[in-house]
Amino acid sequence: MFRGTVSRAKRRVLIPAALAVTALVVAVVLVAGAGGGGAAGGVSYVGGSTSAVLYAAGHRHPVPDFTGTTLTGSRLSFAAYRGRVVVVNFWGSWCTPCRAEAPALAVLSAKYQPSGVRFLGVDVNDDPASAGAFARGFGIRYPSVSDPGYVITQDFSSAVPISGTPTTLVVDRSGRVAGAVFGSTTYSELNAILMRVTGKAA
Amino acid sequence: MTDVRAEEAAAGLDIVPSGAGSGGAGAGSDGAGSDGTGKSAPPSFGISGWLTWGWRQLTSMRTALVLLFLLALGSVPGSMLPQEGADPAGVQQYFTSHPALAPLLNHLGLFNVFAAPWFAAIYLLLFTSLVGCVVPRTFRLAGSARSLPPRAPRFLSRLPHSAGYSTALPPDEAIEAAAGVLARRGFRLRRAPAAETWVSAERGYLREAGNLLFHLALLGVLVSIALGGLFGYKADKLLVAGQTFADTRSALDEFHPGRLVGGGDLPPFTITLNQFAASYLESGPDRGQPSFFDARISYTASPGDPARSYDLEINRPLSVDSTKVYLIGHGYAPVFRVTDARGQVVYNAATPFIPGSTGNFLSEGVVKVPGAQPQQLGFLCVFVPTAVDVGGTLESVFPAAGNPAVSLIAYAGDLGMNSGVPQSVYQLDTAGMRRLTTGTELLQPGQTLRLPGGRGTIAFTGYRQWVSLQITHDPGQLPALACGIAALAGLLLSFMVRRRRVFVRARAGERGTTVQVGGLARTDASGGFEDEFASLANELAAAHHSTGPARQSETGE
């Protein structure tokens, strides 16, 4: 009777304790699991960093058909680029990592011009005067559409989770996002992605 | 608590007084004092015993109260000191004004209290304590709300309220009649076994239901808060009049997502600030105090939707697609046009300035012109909405832009922007730069300053106003409110409803049947049961066509 009473009293405590501990463990696993998300299927990394990614054929999302005004004032429609590999770079003249990656973009755009790859900038949160000075200063010859309020950027969020500036997307010939660099890119990272997407490297 | 004691007494357990449990107390001692006392001595057996004891301590009401108090105490520095999340500029200012104290406070996490590990420890412990305390109680209450009243005691005259009379009815019929009266009054009945003639009745079970509701709602509040923390987010955006912004991660100045918020979870609205107006008191002792803010915006809920307009005011947020957009601040954004040594326009933009602490919207800001050739240009500026020259220095005498002016210091050299290291748009790193002007230069709208050495010009062409918006999404807010209301309702029920029991016994005697009625209010804090009992006793007597004198006593004996 003595033993029985104690174990019943204990059970009364232990069951809720066990429930609470289980709930806590589940919560911790959920929370920790959410932090490491993103490594879903169909994604491989370039150059050992998780900021430069390649999407496998079945995991590429289509890019929206957007139109905009370029820094020089002419209209530009993305539809004109269909059938080509396009590098879309989101940048701003105020953004220091954008300034760091600009020389690499200038070089790569010239290098891949003969293979039919086109580069296109989306200039966010900027004024045309500062943006023009940026393009002149870094010798950027490809066009940029002006996106002062991030409206075009928002359009792209259905295709790829753009979380900051700069972001560089590589769009394949069927108009889908095949690769991306989140944050400042380098010559070697973007070159590696372009080799793969243009089919010059297996 | 009471029923635990009763159970132990019934089981023949010795309850060891606190302090005596060192050597010979034995395993039984930890049975005492589950919630409430918390004084049980540590048991002298192994790990599981220690764990049980620890869990009991953690889930005791006293520990929960202590933790709640600590939580309140811990959030005090959060409201007294500037916080990283809400007021980063204030933190910086604190560091400069208290150079000795600030690093120490920072080490203790007092500038970011709500993210500090010790604060998290308090609320996680509190959460565990509450859940561990409330869940078993909920089960117990649910049992109690379903239970039948106890058997009628033998001597009803010993109860706090009792009455007796005689009736001509035989005992079993008298009990039947009494049961009928009690059932009509809404009592829950317990009938005697076949050979006995009594009935027990109890009402006020709503008290238990209220208690249960309170506990469940308390759990609901905790779950709602967790929901908000996991799936909610808070973001800040500074928006200059005339500009648009689309709600997307890279457009937001600050973004604090919950643990389970993904990048694609933001509702795709856009907001355009058409006009912002602030008015201030023109006279009286509170001259310069704001009297009215009005941000006229137009917004689209999602791409392709028609634009709608809205007047955003303080405490009048915009609700769009499950988020709320609050107007939380405003300021001035002077417009500058900069040309470089080659005559190219290399900057032409409204530049948000941050109001300083001196009041009247004397605002500080920085203009960075990284595209200027041959050298980059930078300007440290002050914007004064209503400028008055007081002995050679500019002062702002009114927050509205009555006589706007800008004073600036020009620099040329390397802004440090090309290395890729992020920098604040409100700070100028002059380490690689040379000062171009000896004093500060004053500009009024429309005026242009020629930089020395033919390095270019800067023109102050006008000003715009900006607002800062806070975008919040808290999916736990509404459930938390509903649960809070339910908890209050449950608490009121459990305070206002009394649980009371009435017992009726009938015995056959020489002069007909003797009926005894006894009453007991289990929780009669507010009184009032004696009136109810008296009227009930009279009604029972009437139903029994009582023959003898109705005798009534207030207390047993």
Side-chain angles (χ1 to χ4, degrees):
Chain A
M1 177 171 172
F2 177 79
R3 178 173 287 273
T5 313
V6 169
S7 70
R8 193 173 60 198
K10 243 170 143 183
R11 205 181 323 135
R12 190 209 294 253
V13 174
L14 286 177
I15 290 174
L19 277 176
V21 168
T22 314
L24 212 68
V25 167
V26 168
V28 166
V29 167
L30 264 177
V31 165
V43 174
S44 56
Y45 300 112
V46 178
S49 100
T50 55
S51 60
V53 302
L54 270 167
Y55 299 100
H59 297 82
R60 299 177 178 178
H61 295 285
V63 166
D65 261 328
F66 65 92
T67 56
T69 309
T70 65
L71 299 177
T72 50
S74 54
R75 295 293 292 173
L76 186 146
S77 169
F78 191 66
Y81 291 88
R82 288 284 179 219
R84 289 182 184 276
V85 172
V86 190
V87 175
V88 183
N89 174 243
F90 295 82
W91 66 280
S93 67
W94 45 270
C95 143
T96 52
C98 304
R99 306 187 74 83
E101 69 175 9
L105 288 168
V107 171
L108 283 166
S109 67
K111 178 186 173 191
Y112 280 91
Q113 172 79 20
S115 3
V117 176
R118 292 294 174 263
F119 279 58
L120 174 62
V122 178
D123 175 34
V124 296
N125 195 21
D126 221 342
D127 68 289
S130 305
F134 179 98
R136 282 194 303 276
F138 288 104
I140 305 259
R141 304 197 187 284
Y142 54 85
S144 278
V145 290
S146 193
D147 186 23
Y150 295 90
V151 176
I152 295 172
T153 313
Q154 188 186 53
D155 263 4
F156 270 81
S157 62
S158 60
V160 65
I162 299 172
S163 60
T165 312
T167 296
T168 306
L169 308 179
V170 178
V171 181
D172 66 14
R173 294 187 180 89
S174 60
R176 290 166 177 271
V177 179
V181 182
F182 301 102
S184 195
T185 188
T186 59
Y187 178 92
S188 57
E189 271 177 355
L190 189 56
N191 188 45
I193 294 176
L194 277 170
M195 299 263 276
R196 296 282 291 272
V197 177
T198 53
K200 294 197 169 159
Chain B
M1 193 170 109
T2 46
D3 49 339
V4 174
R5 284 271 161 77
E7 196 176 293
E8 280 156 356
L13 256 181
D14 281 339
I15 296 172
V16 179
S18 64
S22 52
S29 65
D30 77 322
S34 72
D35 47 355
T37 65
K39 281 183 181 169
S40 56
S44 56
F45 53 79
I47 294 170
S48 80
W50 276 103
L51 286 176
T52 310
W53 177 80
W55 178 254
R56 284 221 171 123
Q57 292 299 308
L58 180 61
T59 57
S60 74
M61 195 63 101
R62 195 177 64 168
T63 308
L65 285 175
V66 168
L67 286 170
L68 200 63
F69 177 70
L70 280 178
L71 194 74
L73 202 68
S75 37
V76 167
S79 56
M80 289 176 65
L81 291 170
Q83 295 293 297
E84 289 283 358
D87 183 17
V91 175
Q92 238 159 36
Q93 202 162 20
Y94 199 91
F95 264 88
T96 47
S97 53
H98 302 83
L101 188 61
L104 186 70
L105 297 179
N106 190 39
H107 195 69
L108 295 172
L110 293 182
F111 293 116
N112 204 355
V113 166
F114 302 109
W118 56 266
F119 196 81
I122 294 177
Y123 72 68
L124 280 178
L125 280 176
L126 179 63
F127 190 87
T128 317
S129 173
L130 278 179
V131 169
C133 168
V134 164
V135 168
R137 264 165 181 266
T138 306
F139 283 118
R140 217 151 56 218
L141 285 170
S144 166
R146 286 198 316 265
S147 68
L148 281 178
R151 299 167 57 90
R154 191 160 297 277
F155 302 107
L156 296 181
S157 59
R158 288 184 185 170
L159 291 176
H161 304 273
S162 67
Y165 50 82
S166 313
T167 175
L169 294 173
D172 50 346
E173 281 180 37
I175 291 300
E176 275 312 308
V181 168
L182 290 167
R184 271 200 302 284
R185 284 246 189 163
F187 279 82
R188 188 183 292 182
L189 301 182
R190 175 172 182 153
R191 311 302 293 262
E196 300 173 34
T197 49
W198 53 263
V199 62
S200 303
E202 182 164 2
R203 55 178 304 194
Y205 282 91
L206 264 184
R207 180 191 179 80
E208 249 55 49
N211 217 333
L212 189 62
L213 180 66
F214 172 73
H215 280 82
L216 285 176
L218 214 57
L219 280 180
V221 169
L222 291 178
V223 170
S224 309
I225 291 172
L227 264 184
L230 288 176
F231 296 100
Y233 59 81
K234 200 172 91 176
D236 293 323
K237 173 68 184 174
L238 187 150
L239 189 59
V240 177
Q243 293 183 354
T244 299
F245 97 96
D247 184 40
T248 184
R249 280 284 279 274
S250 38
L252 299 168
D253 302 326
E254 295 270 344
F255 185 59
H256 305 285
R259 282 302 212 160
L260 299 181
V261 176
D265 293 347
L266 301 184
F269 60 80
T270 60
I271 291 179
T272 305
L273 178 61
N274 298 320
Q275 202 197 342
F276 175 75
S279 45
Y280 306 90
L281 297 174
E282 300 270 353
S283 59
D286 292 329
R287 182 174 186 273
Q289 291 295 309
S291 61
F292 186 69
F293 300 114
D294 179 17
R296 299 216 176 134
I297 59 167
S298 50
Y299 69 99
T300 58
S302 58
D305 279 12
R308 276 171 284 197
S309 45
Y310 192 82
D311 279 1
L312 212 56
E313 291 165 29
I314 303 282
N315 294 329
R316 187 173 178 264
L318 166 72
S319 292
V320 52
D321 200 357
S322 82
T323 64
K324 282 208 157 78
V325 181
Y326 294 87
L327 172 64
I328 57 166
H330 67 108
Y332 290 99
V335 184
F336 295 99
R337 188 169 175 275
V338 180
T339 59
D340 64 5
R342 299 174 184 174
Q344 293 266 17
V345 180
V346 285
Y347 189 95
N348 188 7
T351 312
F353 277 29
I354 302 301
S357 52
T358 52
N360 285 332
F361 276 83
L362 186 102
S363 309
E364 293 174 7
V366 163
V367 176
K368 298 183 194 181
V369 193
Q373 300 284 354
Q375 272 191 308
Q376 296 182 328
L377 297 173
F379 304 89
L380 276 176
C381 312
V382 172
F383 174 83
V384 191
T386 300
V388 167
D389 193 337
V390 182
T393 56
L394 274 189
E395 275 187 23
S396 177
V397 295
F398 199 69
N403 178 30
V406 161
S407 78
L408 60 85
I409 303 170
Y411 291 87
D414 180 10
L415 286 164
M417 290 175 75
N418 288 14
S419 62
V421 180
Q423 36 173 260
S424 164
V425 293
Y426 302 113
Q427 279 171 344
L428 190 66
D429 178 9
T430 55
M433 307 195 86
R434 197 167 54 81
R435 191 167 161 165
L436 291 180
T437 48
T438 46
T440 57
E441 301 287 338
L442 187 67
L443 291 179
Q444 280 173 329
Q447 290 187 333
T448 302
L449 172 72
R450 239 166 233 300
L451 299 175
R455 292 174 184 276
T457 61
I458 178 168
F460 170 37
T461 58
Y463 70 91
R464 291 200 228 158
Q465 299 204 61
W466 55 259
V467 297
S468 65
L469 304 175
Q470 188 167 72
I471 302 155
T472 61
H473 172 56
D474 187 357
Q477 208 170 35
L478 215 67
L481 178 69
C483 289
I485 291 172
L488 205 63
L491 204 61
L492 281 177
L493 264 186
S494 72
F495 276 144
M496 282 159 53
V497 175
R498 278 166 293 119
R499 220 166 147 170
R500 52 241 192 246
R501 292 173 178 166
V502 172
F503 307 99
V504 182
R505 271 187 183 276
R507 285 193 189 84
E510 303 133 26
R511 289 178 300 141
T513 303
T514 312
V515 178
Q516 276 288 332
V517 185
L520 171 68
R522 285 179 70 192
T523 44
D524 197 15
S526 52
F529 179 58
E530 49 180 272
D531 294 340
E532 187 187 3
F533 181 78
S535 99
L536 187 67
N538 283 335
E539 197 179 327
L540 284 170
H544 289 148
H545 315 291
S546 78
T547 49
R551 185 162 57 72
Q552 195 169 334
S553 59
E554 279 304 306
T555 52
E557 289 311 333

